[in-house]
Amino acid sequence: MSSFIPIQLWQIPPTTITQSVSLPPLIQNLEQQLSQIAQQHKKVVLANSLAVEDMVLTHAIAQLQLPIEIIVLDTGKLHTEALSYLDIVKKHYDHLTFAVYQPLPQSLQDFETTHDFLDIYQSLSVRKACCFARKIEPLQRALAHKTAWITGQRREQSPTRQQLPQREWDTAHNLEKFNPLADWTHEQVWAYIHAHSIPIHPLYHHGMPSIGCEPCTKPIRQGEDLRAGRWWWESQDSKECGLHANPTSSLS
Ligand code: SF4
């Protein structure tokens, strides 16, 4: 008789994590950074992927009432839960401006005439072509005429982000890019989320610590790399959608 061993999926860190993280200096530093960015740049946006990191930044921008627009990329391949959650976020932060960018119909048509969508699982170039049409081109439109953008990237998220600076020149989009949470840990992010009772994407409750498009995201086991459920069929060092893939030069 075979014994059944249940799989333990990744779980949201408990609210008690706030007791082991000293948030005040982190918050002070974060708020200083965001205030300076808003002072230096009149045309700055936060790219919010609905991940907890981006919700930390959204919450801080809301608290400080900074004139920073929030952009969201609706790729057309998001989970239905993501779109419902976006409505919740908009209501929760109703004094912030959220601009949603979608792929161009022509880009999708071009992709579909050239590729079979399911080939994203076989071919890195097809997967990147899909990411270009659904994420990168819409981001380029969102960043046009801006002088800076803010992301929720962190160094410990992946091997491709280990050298991530807090401030850099984005050569791909020709503007400044700020990563205020570059040195934050997973625990610090969740401590902030819990301490401020920030609403979270419902799929965090289903074993997904990193959430992208529905076809390219799956739950992970407890103890696995936190981005193991993203493009899980690819090697670790190709796991970027291209939004953050440009070579950078640190400005700080
Ligand atoms: S993450 Fe997947 S579905 Fe989304 S744009 Fe990239 S390849 Fe396409």
Side-chain angles (χ1 to χ4, degrees):
M1 193 175 108
S2 64
S3 57
F4 174 71
I5 303 174
I7 293 172
Q8 173 79 50
L9 290 182
W10 174 86
Q11 291 187 338
I12 294 171
T15 53
T16 50
I17 203 167
T18 52
Q19 294 161 14
S20 57
V21 171
S22 177
L23 279 175
L26 282 175
I27 294 172
Q28 189 183 13
N29 182 277
L30 174 62
E31 294 187 346
Q32 264 177 5
Q33 284 190 67
L34 290 173
S35 299
Q36 278 177 4
I37 294 167
Q39 274 174 8
Q40 291 167 3
H41 292 276
K42 298 296 168 222
K43 294 181 178 174
V44 54
V45 294
L46 163 68
N48 187 331
S49 68
L50 308 179
V52 279
E53 287 82 359
D54 299 324
M55 293 312 301
V56 168
L57 295 167
T58 298
H59 187 84
I61 288 168
Q63 292 288 103
L64 297 168
Q65 301 191 23
L66 296 174
I68 296 176
E69 183 182 74
I70 318 285
I71 60 166
V72 178
L73 304 181
D74 173 5
T75 64
K77 292 286 185 185
L78 298 180
H79 302 81
T80 52
E81 291 91 338
L83 299 174
S84 313
Y85 172 57
L86 177 56
D87 288 337
I88 292 170
V89 171
K90 284 179 177 170
K91 282 190 190 125
H92 195 78
Y93 299 106
D94 60 0
H95 60 293
L96 293 182
T97 305
F98 290 84
V100 178
Y101 286 80
Q102 293 173 323
L104 295 172
Q106 186 63 51
S107 301
L108 297 184
Q109 199 175 326
D110 290 348
F111 177 86
E112 283 159 16
T113 54
T114 322
H115 307 291
D116 181 336
F117 178 75
L118 290 179
D119 285 345
I120 66 167
Y121 300 111
Q122 312 296 332
S123 160
L124 183 59
S125 65
V126 175
R127 198 275 281 169
K128 289 197 167 179
C130 183
C131 283
F132 184 86
R134 294 182 179 276
K135 292 183 169 185
I136 298 172
E137 186 285 327
L139 179 69
Q140 287 172 347
R141 255 183 293 132
L143 297 183
H145 312 300
K146 304 292 189 301
T147 59
W149 65 307
I150 303 169
T151 87
Q153 290 184 104
R154 295 184 298 108
R155 286 185 201 121
E156 67 169 24
Q157 281 173 323
S158 78
T160 56
R161 297 183 182 176
Q162 281 176 5
Q163 307 301 321
L164 184 73
Q166 286 189 331
R167 182 180 183 180
E168 58 188 320
W169 181 254
D170 179 344
T171 53
H173 301 103
N174 203 26
L175 76 180
E176 277 207 83
K177 182 175 178 182
F178 295 92
N179 310 300
L181 305 183
D183 58 3
W184 280 43
T185 65
H186 180 68
E187 289 74 21
Q188 289 169 335
V189 170
W190 279 101
Y192 187 101
I193 292 287
H194 289 321
H196 296 88
S197 302
I198 297 173
I200 59 168
H201 192 309
L203 293 179
Y204 282 109
H205 293 286
H206 294 272
M208 297 185 195
S210 178
I211 307 165
C213 292
E214 190 273 334
C216 301
T217 306
K218 70 170 188 174
I220 65 165
R221 293 192 188 99
Q222 196 70 30
E224 273 191 286
D225 182 276
L226 293 176
R227 279 170 66 86
R230 303 288 299 281
W231 305 292
W232 62 93
W233 63 93
E234 293 180 2
S235 68
Q236 279 284 345
D237 53 7
S238 70
K239 286 187 174 199
E240 292 286 356
C241 57
L243 295 181
H244 305 294
N246 66 298
T248 57
S249 61
S250 173
L251 297 176
S252 62

